[in-house]
């Protein structure tokens, strides 16, 4: 994608040069100004691409962190449910033991 952006700006610069040349009043200064504008646009595009790439890396890292947090939360919920079932089973067992002892 980076190469494609650079090619587009190079083509833009060439089109500007052609347009200025077609007007018939082209000076070396005009050509240099257009070239400088095209180079600046290419540099700006490259900087924007770098920023987009950095943002994508950060978003990917954030997604990974969120996925890991979700997995940990699921495991914690499963552990809590298992502990609750164990507690209920122990309560029922103790109640049965108490009832048996009261019948004697």
């Amino acid at each position: 994608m980076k190469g494609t952006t650079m090619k587009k700006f190079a083509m833009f610069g060439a089109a500007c040069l052609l347009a200025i040349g077609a007007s018939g009043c082209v000076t070396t200064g005009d050509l240099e100004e257009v070239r400088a504008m095209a180079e600046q646009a290419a540099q700006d595009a490259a900087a924007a691409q770098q920023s987009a790439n950095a943002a994508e890396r950060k978003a990917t890292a954030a997604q990974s962190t969120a996925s890991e947090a979700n997995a940990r939360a699921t495991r914690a919920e499963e552990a809590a449910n298992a502990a609750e079932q164990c507690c209920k089973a122990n309560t029922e067992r103790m109640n049965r033991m108490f009832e048996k002892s009261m019948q004697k």
Side-chain angles (χ1 to χ4, degrees):
M1 181 153 184
K2 186 176 181 181
T4 303
T5 304
M6 298 297 262
K7 287 179 185 178
K8 286 181 182 177
F9 282 110
M11 289 178 12
F12 171 74
C16 289
L17 289 174
L18 181 61
I20 291 173
S23 69
C25 300
V26 179
T27 65
T28 304
D30 292 336
L31 294 176
E32 288 301 318
E33 185 178 343
V34 170
R35 181 174 289 128
M37 287 172 49
E39 287 175 1
Q40 184 61 48
Q43 290 173 1
D44 292 346
Q49 184 65 47
Q50 288 176 348
S51 293
N53 290 344
E56 182 180 22
R57 285 190 299 274
K58 288 179 181 179
T60 300
Q63 179 65 39
S64 178
T65 301
S67 294
E68 179 61 28
N70 189 36
R72 287 181 182 186
T74 299
R75 289 192 300 269
E77 182 181 25
E78 289 169 353
N81 288 338
E84 182 180 22
Q85 291 300 323
C86 180
C87 183
K88 286 180 181 180
N90 285 339
T91 300
E92 289 174 6
R93 188 173 28 244
M94 290 177 69
N95 284 340
R96 284 192 303 270
M97 289 173 55
F98 178 73
E99 287 175 9
K100 282 183 182 181
S101 70
M102 293 303 287
Q103 291 177 356
K104 291 184 181 183

